[in-house]
Coordinates of all heavy atoms in Angstrom, one line a residue:
L1 N 63.2 -0.6 -77.3 CA 63.5 0.9 -77.5 C 62.2 1.7 -77.5 O 62.1 2.9 -76.9 CB 64.3 1.1 -78.7 CG 65.8 0.6 -78.7 CD1 66.5 0.8 -80.0 CD2 66.6 1.4 -77.6
F2 N 61.2 1.2 -78.2 CA 59.9 1.8 -78.3 C 59.3 2.0 -76.9 O 58.7 3.0 -76.5 CB 59.0 1.1 -79.2 CG 57.6 1.7 -79.3 CD1 57.4 2.9 -80.0 CD2 56.5 1.1 -78.7 CE1 56.1 3.4 -80.1 CE2 55.3 1.7 -78.8 CZ 55.1 2.8 -79.5
F3 N 59.4 0.9 -76.1 CA 58.9 0.9 -74.7 C 59.6 1.9 -73.9 O 58.9 2.6 -73.1 CB 59.1 -0.5 -74.1 CG 58.8 -0.5 -72.7 CD1 57.4 -0.6 -72.3 CD2 59.7 -0.6 -71.7 CE1 57.1 -0.7 -70.9 CE2 59.4 -0.7 -70.4 CZ 58.1 -0.7 -70.0
L4 N 60.9 2.1 -74.0 CA 61.6 3.1 -73.3 C 61.2 4.5 -73.6 O 61.1 5.4 -72.8 CB 63.2 3.0 -73.5 CG 63.8 1.7 -72.9 CD1 65.3 1.7 -73.3 CD2 63.7 1.7 -71.4
L5 N 60.8 4.7 -74.9 CA 60.4 6.1 -75.3 C 59.1 6.5 -74.7 O 58.7 7.6 -74.5 CB 60.3 6.1 -76.8 CG 61.7 6.1 -77.6 CD1 61.4 6.0 -79.1 CD2 62.5 7.4 -77.3
L6 N 58.3 5.5 -74.4 CA 57.0 5.7 -73.7 C 57.1 6.1 -72.3 O 56.1 6.6 -71.7 CB 56.1 4.5 -74.0 CG 55.7 4.1 -75.4 CD1 54.8 2.9 -75.4 CD2 54.9 5.3 -76.1
I7 N 58.2 5.8 -71.7 CA 58.3 6.0 -70.2 C 58.8 7.4 -69.9 O 59.8 7.8 -70.5 CB 59.3 4.9 -69.6 CG1 58.7 3.5 -69.8 CG2 59.4 5.2 -68.1 CD1 59.6 2.4 -69.3
P8 N 58.2 8.2 -69.1 CA 58.7 9.5 -68.8 C 60.1 9.4 -68.2 O 60.5 8.5 -67.6 CB 57.7 10.0 -67.7 CG 56.4 9.2 -67.9 CD 56.9 7.9 -68.4
S9 N 60.9 10.5 -68.5 CA 62.3 10.5 -68.2 C 62.6 10.3 -66.7 O 63.7 9.9 -66.4 CB 62.9 11.8 -68.7 OG 62.3 12.9 -68.1
G10 N 61.6 10.7 -65.9 CA 61.9 10.6 -64.4 C 61.6 9.3 -63.8 O 61.6 9.2 -62.6
A11 N 61.2 8.3 -64.6 CA 60.5 7.1 -64.1 C 61.6 6.1 -63.4 O 61.3 5.2 -62.7 CB 59.8 6.3 -65.1
F12 N 62.9 6.3 -63.7 CA 63.9 5.5 -63.1 C 64.6 6.2 -62.0 O 65.3 7.2 -62.3 CB 64.9 5.0 -64.2 CG 64.3 4.2 -65.3 CD1 64.0 4.7 -66.6 CD2 64.0 2.8 -65.0 CE1 63.4 3.9 -67.5 CE2 63.4 2.0 -66.0 CZ 63.1 2.6 -67.3
A13 N 64.5 5.7 -60.8 CA 65.2 6.4 -59.6 C 66.6 6.1 -59.6 O 67.1 5.0 -59.9 CB 64.5 5.9 -58.3
Q14 N 67.4 7.2 -59.3 CA 68.8 7.0 -59.0 C 68.9 6.6 -57.5 O 68.2 7.1 -56.7 CB 69.6 8.3 -59.2 CG 69.5 8.8 -60.7 CD 70.2 10.1 -60.8 OE1 71.2 10.4 -60.1 NE2 69.8 10.9 -61.9
S15 N 69.9 5.7 -57.2 CA 70.0 5.3 -55.8 C 70.6 6.4 -55.0 O 71.6 6.9 -55.3 CB 70.8 4.0 -55.7 OG 71.1 3.7 -54.4
C16 N 70.0 6.7 -53.9 CA 70.5 7.7 -53.0 C 71.1 7.1 -51.7 O 71.9 7.8 -50.9 CB 69.4 8.7 -52.5 SG 69.2 10.1 -53.7
A17 N 70.8 5.8 -51.4 CA 71.2 5.2 -50.2 C 72.7 5.0 -50.0 O 73.1 4.8 -48.9 CB 70.4 3.9 -50.0
A18 N 73.4 5.1 -51.1 CA 74.8 4.8 -51.1 C 75.7 6.0 -50.7 O 76.9 5.9 -50.4 CB 75.3 4.2 -52.4
N19 N 75.0 7.1 -50.5 CA 75.8 8.4 -50.2 C 75.7 8.7 -48.7 O 74.7 8.5 -48.1 CB 75.2 9.6 -51.0 CG 75.2 9.3 -52.5 OD1 76.3 9.3 -53.1 ND2 74.1 9.2 -53.1
P20 N 76.8 9.4 -48.2 CA 76.7 9.8 -46.8 C 75.5 10.8 -46.6 O 74.7 10.7 -45.7 CB 78.0 10.5 -46.6 CG 78.9 9.9 -47.6 CD 78.1 9.6 -48.8
V21 N 75.4 11.8 -47.5 CA 74.3 12.7 -47.4 C 74.0 13.0 -48.9 O 74.8 13.3 -49.7 CB 74.6 14.0 -46.7 CG1 73.4 14.9 -46.7 CG2 75.0 13.8 -45.3
A22 N 72.6 13.0 -49.3 CA 72.2 13.3 -50.6 C 70.9 13.9 -50.6 O 70.0 13.7 -49.8 CB 72.2 12.0 -51.4
V23 N 70.7 14.8 -51.7 CA 69.4 15.4 -52.0 C 68.8 14.6 -53.1 O 69.4 14.4 -54.1 CB 69.5 16.9 -52.4 CG1 68.3 17.5 -52.8 CG2 70.1 17.7 -51.2
Q24 N 67.5 14.2 -52.9 CA 66.8 13.6 -54.0 C 65.5 14.5 -54.3 O 64.8 14.9 -53.4 CB 66.4 12.2 -53.7 CG 65.7 11.5 -54.9 CD 65.6 10.0 -54.7 OE1 65.4 9.5 -53.6 NE2 65.6 9.3 -55.8
I25 N 65.4 14.8 -55.6 CA 64.2 15.5 -56.0 C 63.1 14.5 -56.4 O 63.3 13.6 -57.1 CB 64.5 16.3 -57.3 CG1 65.6 17.4 -57.0 CG2 63.2 17.0 -57.9 CD1 66.0 18.1 -58.3
L26 N 62.0 14.6 -55.6 CA 60.8 13.8 -55.9 C 60.0 14.5 -57.0 O 59.4 13.8 -57.9 CB 60.0 13.6 -54.7 CG 60.6 12.8 -53.6 CD1 59.6 12.5 -52.5 CD2 61.2 11.5 -54.1
G27 N 59.8 15.8 -56.9 CA 59.0 16.5 -57.9 C 59.8 17.8 -58.3 O 60.1 18.6 -57.5
S28 N 60.1 17.9 -59.6 CA 60.9 19.1 -60.1 C 60.1 20.1 -60.8 O 60.6 21.0 -61.4 CB 62.0 18.5 -61.0 OG 61.4 17.8 -62.1
G29 N 58.8 19.9 -60.8 CA 57.9 20.8 -61.6 C 57.1 21.7 -60.7 O 57.3 21.7 -59.6
G30 N 56.3 22.5 -61.4 CA 55.4 23.5 -60.7 C 54.0 23.1 -60.8 O 53.6 21.9 -60.8
P31 N 53.1 24.1 -60.8 CA 51.7 23.7 -60.7 C 51.1 23.2 -62.1 O 50.0 22.6 -62.1 CB 51.0 25.0 -60.3 CG 51.9 26.1 -60.7 CD 53.3 25.4 -60.6
A32 N 51.7 23.6 -63.2 CA 51.2 23.2 -64.5 C 51.4 21.7 -64.7 O 52.3 21.1 -64.3 CB 51.9 24.0 -65.6
I33 N 50.4 21.1 -65.5 CA 50.6 19.7 -65.8 C 51.8 19.5 -66.7 O 52.1 20.1 -67.7 CB 49.4 19.2 -66.6 CG1 48.1 19.2 -65.8 CG2 49.5 17.8 -67.2 CD1 46.8 19.0 -66.4

């Protein structure tokens, strides 16, 4: 559980390949760190 808390929330990809058409966000942020 401690290890999971250290991993950023976006680190686990959802599978997109199973959908006929799908949008995947690679980057959801702006210019700020």
Side-chain angles (χ1 to χ4, degrees):
L1 289 173
F2 178 74
F3 173 74
L4 289 178
L5 290 173
L6 294 178
I7 300 177
S9 59
F12 294 105
Q14 300 178 27
S15 174
C16 275
N19 300 293
V21 181
V23 174
Q24 185 167 32
I25 298 175
L26 297 185
S28 61
I33 293 173

